[in-house]
Amino acid sequence: MQAIMSDLLSLQTLLALVAGTFGGLVVGGLPGLSATMGMSLLIPITYTMDTVPSMVMLAAVYCSAVYGGSFSAILIHTPGTPASAATAIDGYQLTKRGKGLQALGVSTTASVIGGVVSGVALLLIAPQLVKVALMFSAPEYFLIAVFGLTIVGGLSGNNLLKGLVSAGFGLIIGMVGMNIFPYARYSFGNLNLQGGIQLVPAMIGLFSLPQVLTLAESRVNKKNREEQKKIQESIQEQIARAGKMKGHFWPTPAELKPLLPTILKASILGIGVGILPGAGGDIGSWVGYNSAKNGSKNKELFGKGSLEGIAGSEAGNNAVCGGALIPALTLGIPGSGAAAVFLGALTVQGFSSGTNLFSKYADMTYSILVGFIAANILMGIMGWLLSRYAVRFAALPNGILIPVITSLSVIGSYAIRNNVFDVYVMLFFGVIGYCMKKFDFPAAPAVLALILGPMAERNLITSIQMCKGSILVYYFTRPICVFFMILIVVTLLAPVIQKRRREAV
């Protein structure tokens, strides 16, 4: 316990916590940007930091960016992140009635409670789950990696085929270099490729640069430029309205009492959604919103300015954050795109998910988990302090965002190894990511495959070496392997069954 407090109260960790929380609020408040993009931009900075401060900063960005999206959703009816879409429905209606500050207060309270509850669940569930992982060997880890790859359906949006293509691209990229064998594959004689594709430049390219190119495209296109001008004018009007907000921020005990059951229920549901690989905060938000509506005595207020709707949505999407980290830290299966980036950052620090995190490096791991809870509390305090000014983040013109994000992408890619080649890698993946975005190919499955592909290949080879006979017989004689094989089949068949049910209806 003393070691954990020492890590958390160090100057570097405290500064990282504050910087990550503030940065996450800014990223979340800017429409179009996401927690995943903000985290990928910060990974190069964390490379030079100690493990606890770096991972606490990323955790702070993760949860506060999801919460930060509620500011623009409530005040200007533009969700800062997809996870805040449900919040915009009732939040903006309250803003139009001059109750925007009250809506922000409920959003903040629900987000903090949802985040803290998910952090406690992370502390309680992860150590128990990792005890099961102690029984795992190479065959089980191979099937875990395969199971992780089957969740691309949840990360693929409405098109499973495009998600599979994206995952296939990530698997091919993961084969480059000397990751598994003592000779380089697909390096084409280039010494820089013999060590494989660096994860950080690839993630920056796939998540950050496409957003820059999209923003630049909107400035070049005359029609888009006119639309952006109208949007900016609308935002300025809404900023003026937000500046006139009156009332109190924090809900009174009388206001909070009827909201607490909704918040707690949505938090539990959000944790469950987060644990399900590929679900994400946007699904957690809608699940929380629907649960609030179904359990409400005032259903007629939903869509017209319901505080219960805001509470359910925000508790649900923030609870997803802690839930998504549970399978990521224990089994190496990220529950969302942001959790995949978090897992990638942990890999960059030289650690891998699994039993060692909770045994050999237990002090470090629990420091990060407690830091995650602290980040959720701090984001509530910062949200309160910034509530009257946060809407101005949404008014930042693209002419400022484009050079800032581009500079951070280039500097971050170069800083990892002080190698210009990594900048070229980032640019290459940026163009690929932009094309994927234009043709509606999701980037998250590619990153997931890039992380899990080498893990699957390495453990499959070890399994073949371990078995003394038929590899299939060897797998079917291991109960945990059989369980994961059934799980994989169910996961693969689920989208097909759901599609047929929708067609039948």
Side-chain angles (χ1 to χ4, degrees), residues 474-497:
Y474 181 64
Y475 269 81
F476 276 104
T477 54
R478 301 176 71 93
I480 298 178
C481 288
V482 174
F483 169 76
F484 276 109
M485 284 189 277
I486 295 172
L487 206 58
I488 290 167
V489 172
V490 171
T491 306
L492 290 173
L493 292 178
V496 179
I497 296 172

Side-chain angles (χ1 to χ4, degrees), residues 321-340:
C321 298
L325 292 179
I326 292 173
L329 294 177
T330 55
L331 302 176
I333 304 174
S336 65

Side-chain angles (χ1 to χ4, degrees), residues 309-391:
I310 295 172
S313 169
E314 288 301 305
N317 63 27
N318 270 86
V320 165
C321 298
L325 292 179
I326 292 173
L329 294 177
T330 55
L331 302 176
I333 304 174
S336 65
V341 175
F342 190 88
L343 189 59
L346 192 64
T347 304
V348 170
Q349 289 285 333
F351 299 94
S352 58
S353 57
T355 55
N356 279 343
L357 280 182
F358 293 87
S359 55
K360 187 177 180 180
Y361 306 109
D363 287 344
M364 177 197 75
T365 303
Y366 285 111
S367 297
I368 296 171
L369 300 188
V370 175
F372 174 81
I373 296 175
N376 279 280
I377 297 172
L378 181 60
M379 81 179 183
I381 298 172
M382 278 198 177
W384 169 50
L385 295 174
L386 298 174
S387 58
R388 293 184 182 274
Y389 314 100
V391 70

Side-chain angles (χ1 to χ4, degrees), residues 331-468:
L331 302 176
I333 304 174
S336 65
V341 175
F342 190 88
L343 189 59
L346 192 64
T347 304
V348 170
Q349 289 285 333
F351 299 94
S352 58
S353 57
T355 55
N356 279 343
L357 280 182
F358 293 87
S359 55
K360 187 177 180 180
Y361 306 109
D363 287 344
M364 177 197 75
T365 303
Y366 285 111
S367 297
I368 296 171
L369 300 188
V370 175
F372 174 81
I373 296 175
N376 279 280
I377 297 172
L378 181 60
M379 81 179 183
I381 298 172
M382 278 198 177
W384 169 50
L385 295 174
L386 298 174
S387 58
R388 293 184 182 274
Y389 314 100
V391 70
R392 299 183 183 275
F393 296 142
L396 286 177
N398 293 343
I400 294 176
L401 292 177
I402 291 171
V404 169
I405 296 175
T406 303
S407 300
L408 289 173
S409 299
V410 172
I411 293 170
S413 300
Y414 177 79
I416 292 295
R417 300 188 303 172
N418 295 330
N419 191 338
V420 177
F421 183 79
D422 289 336
V423 178
Y424 297 146
V425 170
M426 183 273 295
L427 293 174
F428 170 78
F429 278 94
V431 174
I432 295 293
Y434 174 73
C435 294
M436 291 171 68
K437 188 173 184 179
K438 292 293 287 184
F439 293 101
D440 201 27
F441 282 84
V447 173
L448 185 66
L450 187 58
I451 294 173
L452 294 180
M455 172 183 170
E457 187 178 17
R458 183 169 55 252
N459 285 289
L460 176 60
I461 293 171
T462 305
S463 300
I464 295 172
Q465 294 171 341
M466 288 170 62
C467 77
K468 299 177 181 178

Side-chain angles (χ1 to χ4, degrees), residues 200-221:
V200 175
M203 285 196 296
I204 292 175
L206 285 171
F207 289 120
S208 301
L209 210 58
Q211 183 62 38
V212 171
L213 295 174
T214 303
L215 294 174
E217 184 182 37
S218 67
R219 288 178 61 85
V220 173
N221 188 301

